[in-house]
């Protein structure tokens, strides 16, 4: 309802904007908590181990402050400890999942508010696009797992909202707010630094007002870009410096540089096979929106997929192509309107992420989740164009049906089945190890290939000490002799304390695992692994569903002949 001057009343504002925002938050918060995964990813379990086992055991602050996602572990630890004071007695993983679920629901509200401010004549398209992001496969799995990406993505959504308002108003405070939110996102995941290009573009394309000359307007835009960069970078540098000096006790720039660049210098994440990576990028971007049915690989290879799910999948795939076509047809018309700056900023966001993630961990789906944000905006503008034309309300219905279809497809193909605790083979292995061992025993795993996740699932779910050949080789800087001696030392210490040492069969005979290990560490091969275990006698301790588990024992000391 509007007053006589055409101004929207507070009641109408609450009904038209804030009530849908509240409903969106509550609905998705409940959905994400209900669909929390039981098939946790390697990273999620790894960070839970660092928070719940390694830091309490060692009190080494490096387990809480990772240079690649500086504040994630520390925040997770604080929330976990707070939950314990309220009576919670479990590990940190469910707490982190609840944090991600809450963050994910909040992020959708920010996205909706940003879209609503840009499409004020359309009530349903912003709400449907925000819900579509929440039901996309990539966003959904990030909000229901203990992954590191969700807090950073939510802060990027906040920065996106502030940047949109900055483009519309040219306000200096909004430039500072967008910078602070971007800097905060970087502190939770360094990849958010790519958004700096987007924020600067937004500042340079902002509306400075009608009363400024062209020269003054350009100076004003440059000032906004400077404010944005300064507020973002100063926050990041200040927090990194404070933690480096106060928590990690670095006393030189060299020590700080070695810590901050260690992740990048591993060399595992870079890949410059551009043509192959572009194909992987296209697959990951599509998969961020909706997942392929189980039993199939890629977009069109269909062997082994259940027929019922295939029907939904193909309908969703058709909707995907239709939405791309709708955007390509509408973009020339939209380019000539007042929303051109927003189109440019959105396209810069897509291009910046595409260029970087074509060479950094190509094909990894969660890195493409932020790309859904600008593409969702572009789709919203296109649909609003058709909504204002002859199609009318049909646009809303078509969009809603497509989102419902890929939500059902995502749930049936992955989200639903992964609610079963038995869905993870790594957790099943961990529970099998737990039933046959006691605390103090040591489990040796490969840490590579299809069985790599056992390295983190066994310590977290089985509460058993575990070492992997992969991790030992990495810590030894690929020195084969040092890797072997380190593993042998851990085995000897465990046996000397009266506990047992077990080796998963993957280390002994799984060709694919050993090939993956050798590919990652060329100096580690089957012969060196056999040499590592040569001082001890091997026998089968028990047979697990994944193959026999071996026990290492001291060779009996020969009895001297009198």
């Amino acid at each position: 309802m509007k007053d006589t001057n055409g101004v929207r009343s507070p009641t109408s504002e609450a009904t038209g904007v804030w009530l849908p925002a509240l409903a969106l938050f509550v609905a998705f918060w409940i959905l994400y908590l209900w669909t929390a995964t039981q098939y946790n990813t390697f990273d999620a379990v790894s960070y839970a181990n660092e928070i719940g086992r390694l830091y309490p055991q060692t009190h080494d602050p490096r387990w809480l402050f990772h240079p690649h996602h500086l504040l994630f572990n520390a925040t997770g630890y604080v929330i976990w400890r707070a939950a314990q004071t309220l009576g919670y007695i479990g590990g940190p993983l469910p707490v982190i999942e609840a944090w991600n679920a809450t963050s994910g629901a909040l992020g959708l509200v920010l996205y909706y508010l940003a879209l609503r401010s840009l499409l004020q004549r359309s009530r349903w398209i912003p709400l449907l696009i925000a819900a579509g992001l929440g039901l996309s496969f990539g966003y959904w799995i990030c909000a229901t797992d203990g992954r590191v990406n969700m807090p950073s993505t939510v802060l990027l959504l906040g920065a996106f909202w502030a940047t949109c308002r900055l483009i519309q108003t040219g306000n200096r405070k909004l430039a500072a707010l967008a910078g602070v939110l971007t800097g905060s996102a970087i502190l939770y995941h360094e990849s958010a630094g790519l958004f700096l290009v987007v924020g600067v573009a937004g500042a340079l394309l902002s509306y400075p007002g009608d009363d400024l000359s062209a020269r003054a307007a350009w100076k004003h835009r440059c000032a906004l870009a400077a404010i944005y960069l300064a507020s973002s970078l100063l926050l990041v540098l200040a927090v990194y410096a404070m933690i480096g000096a106060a928590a990690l006790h670095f006393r030189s720039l060299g020590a700080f540089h070695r810590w901050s660049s260690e992740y990048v210098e591993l060399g595992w994440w870079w890949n410059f096979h551009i043509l192959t990576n572009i194909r992987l990028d296209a697959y990951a971007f599509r998969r961020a929106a909706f997942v392929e049915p189980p039993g199939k690989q890629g977009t069109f290879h269909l062997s082994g997929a259940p027929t019922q799910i295939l029907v939904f999948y193909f309908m969703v795939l058709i909707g995907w192509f239709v939405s791309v076509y709708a955007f390509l047809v509408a973009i020339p018309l939209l380019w000539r309107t007042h929303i051109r700056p927003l189109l440019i900023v959105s396209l810069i966001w897509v291009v910046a992420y595409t260029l970087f993630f074509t060479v950094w961990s190509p094909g990894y789906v969660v890195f493409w989740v932020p790309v859904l944000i600008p593409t969702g905006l572009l789709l919203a503008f296109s649909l609003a164009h058709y909504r204002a034309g002859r199609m009318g309300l049909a646009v809303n219905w078509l969009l809603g049906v497509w989102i419902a279809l890929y939500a059902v497809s995502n749930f049936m193909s992955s989200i639903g089945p992964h609610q079963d605790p038995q869905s993870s083979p790594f957790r099943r292995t961990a529970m099998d190890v737990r039933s046959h061992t006691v605390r103090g025993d040591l489990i040796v795993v490969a840490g590579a290939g299809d069985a790599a996740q056992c390295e983190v699932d066994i310590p977290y779910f089985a509460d058993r000490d575990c070492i992997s050949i992969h991790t030992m080789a990495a810590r030894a800087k690929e020195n084969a002799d040092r890797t072997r001696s380190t593993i042998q030392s851990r085995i000897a210490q465990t046996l000397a304390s009266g506990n047992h040492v077990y080796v998963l069969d993957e280390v002994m005979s799984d060709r694919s695992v050993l090939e993956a290990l050798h590919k990652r560490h060329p100096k580690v091969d089957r012969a060196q692994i056999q040499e590592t275990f040569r001082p001890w006698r091997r026998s089968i301790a028990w047979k697990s569903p994944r193959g026999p588990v071996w026990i290492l024992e001291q060779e009996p000391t020969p009895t001297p002949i009198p």
Side-chain angles (χ1 to χ4, degrees):
M1 180 182 296
K2 296 181 180 180
D3 61 20
T4 56
N5 295 318
V7 179
R8 189 181 296 273
S9 67
T11 303
S12 177
E13 186 76 16
T15 303
V17 178
W18 293 106
L19 190 59
L22 178 62
L24 192 70
F25 175 83
V26 173
F28 276 90
W29 184 63
I30 293 173
L31 175 68
Y32 292 152
L33 291 177
W34 172 58
T35 57
T37 187
Q38 298 296 317
Y39 195 149
N40 299 100
T41 52
F42 182 100
D43 286 352
V45 183
S46 176
Y47 302 142
N49 268 321
E50 292 170 359
I51 293 168
R53 282 176 55 87
L54 296 175
Y55 178 71
Q57 289 175 1
T58 65
H59 298 288
D60 184 347
R62 296 190 186 212
W63 294 120
L64 294 186
F65 298 108
H66 190 294
H68 193 235
H69 39 81
L70 186 68
L71 297 184
F72 180 82
N73 280 18
T75 305
Y77 179 78
V78 170
I79 297 174
W80 176 53
R81 295 293 291 175
Q84 288 181 319
T85 62
L86 298 176
Y88 176 75
I89 58 174
L93 187 54
V95 175
I96 297 174
E97 289 178 342
W99 171 31
N100 277 346
T102 306
S103 299
L106 177 60
L108 297 179
V109 171
L110 294 173
Y111 194 39
Y112 165 73
L113 293 175
L115 294 173
R116 193 74 171 85
S117 69
L118 298 173
L119 301 169
Q120 296 183 7
R121 294 183 180 182
S122 178
R123 177 179 299 180
W124 284 103
I125 289 179
L127 187 62
L128 289 171
I129 292 291
L133 176 65
L135 294 169
S136 67
F137 180 68
Y139 197 92
W140 199 342
I141 61 173
C142 287
T144 54
D145 194 6
R147 294 172 183 262
V148 70
N149 309 79
M150 182 51 69
S152 177
T153 301
V154 172
L155 288 165
L156 280 184
L157 283 163
F160 166 72
W161 169 83
T163 302
C164 290
R165 297 294 298 147
L166 172 64
I167 292 172
Q168 292 175 304
T169 64
N171 186 280
R172 293 174 183 262
K173 291 182 179 179
L174 284 171
L177 176 61
V180 168
L181 290 170
T182 304
S184 300
I186 294 171
L187 292 173
Y188 279 95
H189 203 284
E190 281 185 340
S191 65
L194 295 169
F195 190 83
L196 288 170
V197 181
V198 182
V200 169
L204 295 178
L205 293 170
S206 62
Y207 174 68
D210 296 326
D211 55 343
L212 295 179
S213 65
R215 183 184 181 90
W218 178 247
K219 287 185 177 180
H220 179 73
R221 293 189 181 105
C222 290
L224 292 177
I227 292 171
Y228 169 78
L229 281 175
S231 58
S232 178
L233 296 178
L234 287 176
L235 174 64
V236 172
L237 292 175
V239 174
Y240 266 90
M242 181 177 64
I243 289 176
L248 303 178
H249 307 295
F250 294 137
R251 294 296 179 261
S252 69
L253 290 177
F256 181 86
H257 177 265
R258 285 190 295 273
W259 167 75
S260 61
S261 63
E262 180 181 32
Y263 195 73
V264 175
E265 292 177 354
L266 287 173
W268 298 336
W269 315 110
W270 296 104
N271 183 336
F272 291 94
H273 304 296
I274 302 300
L275 294 179
T276 300
N277 293 351
I278 290 174
R279 180 181 60 82
L280 292 173
D281 291 344
Y283 170 74
F285 178 54
R286 192 272 304 155
R287 198 167 189 259
F290 54 94
V291 68
E292 67 279 357
K296 70 181 291 290
Q297 299 293 325
T299 301
F300 300 105
H301 182 63
L302 308 177
S303 62
T307 303
Q308 182 182 12
I309 300 179
L310 276 179
V311 172
F312 282 96
Y313 176 75
F314 269 119
M315 294 175 69
V316 172
L317 194 61
I318 292 171
W320 175 266
F321 289 130
V322 170
S323 64
V324 172
Y325 172 78
F327 166 71
L328 293 177
V329 171
I331 191 67
L333 299 173
L334 295 172
W335 192 261
R336 295 194 293 267
T337 68
H338 66 285
I339 65 172
R340 182 191 297 182
L342 292 161
L343 296 179
I344 294 173
V345 167
S346 298
L347 291 172
I348 288 174
W349 191 347
V350 173
V351 170
Y353 269 71
T354 300
L355 290 177
F356 183 78
F357 289 115
T358 296
V359 296
W360 177 274
S361 194
Y364 188 39
V365 63
V366 296
F367 285 152
W368 290 85
V369 173
V371 182
L372 295 177
I373 301 170
T375 53
L377 175 62
L378 294 173
L379 180 60
F381 281 141
S382 303
L383 295 178
H385 165 73
Y386 293 109
R387 169 69 176 81
R390 295 181 179 180
M391 293 191 67
L393 292 176
V395 170
N396 296 344
W397 285 104
L398 290 172
L399 177 62
V401 169
W402 181 52
I403 291 172
L405 285 172
Y406 75 66
V408 172
S409 178
N410 287 337
F411 183 83
M412 294 175 64
S413 298
S414 180
I415 302 295
H418 288 168
Q419 290 180 273
D420 181 3
Q422 296 300 312
S423 61
S424 170
F426 315 110
R427 188 182 296 195
R428 293 199 302 269
T429 297
M431 301 314 295
D432 180 64
V433 167
R434 182 184 179 93
S435 67
H436 289 89
T437 60
V438 298
R439 286 186 179 179
D441 290 345
L442 179 67
I443 317 299
V444 183
V445 301
D450 294 337
Q453 193 165 328
C454 290
E455 176 183 359
V456 294
D457 276 39
I458 289 174
Y460 185 83
F461 294 109
D463 193 23
R464 301 293 184 261
D465 293 332
C466 180
I467 60 172
S468 79
I469 297 174
H470 158 66
T471 299
M472 294 297 104
R475 291 179 180 175
K477 307 296 184 183
E478 308 303 329
N479 185 305
D481 292 336
R482 193 186 309 162
T483 300
R484 183 172 61 253
S485 64
T486 302
I487 295 173
Q488 289 178 338
S489 177
R490 285 291 305 273
I491 293 172
Q493 290 174 8
T494 302
L495 293 176
S497 66
N499 291 101
H500 296 103
V501 176
Y502 300 94
V503 183
L504 298 192
D505 190 57
E506 65 189 49
V507 179
M508 300 295 189
S509 60
D510 192 316
R511 172 181 285 186
S512 64
V513 169
L514 293 175
E515 287 178 352
L517 189 62
H518 181 66
K519 183 177 181 180
R520 184 66 65 89
H521 307 283
K523 294 183 180 180
V524 176
D525 54 22
R526 185 188 295 267
Q528 190 202 10
I529 292 173
Q530 295 293 332
E531 181 64 27
T532 300
F533 302 128
R534 188 178 301 279
W536 298 279
R537 183 178 61 192
R538 298 196 305 266
S539 60
I540 296 177
W542 77 90
K543 292 186 177 180
S544 75
R546 293 178 64 92
V549 177
W550 302 82
I551 185 171
L552 302 184
E553 299 174 297
Q554 294 284 5
E555 291 286 0
T557 303
T559 303
I561 300 175

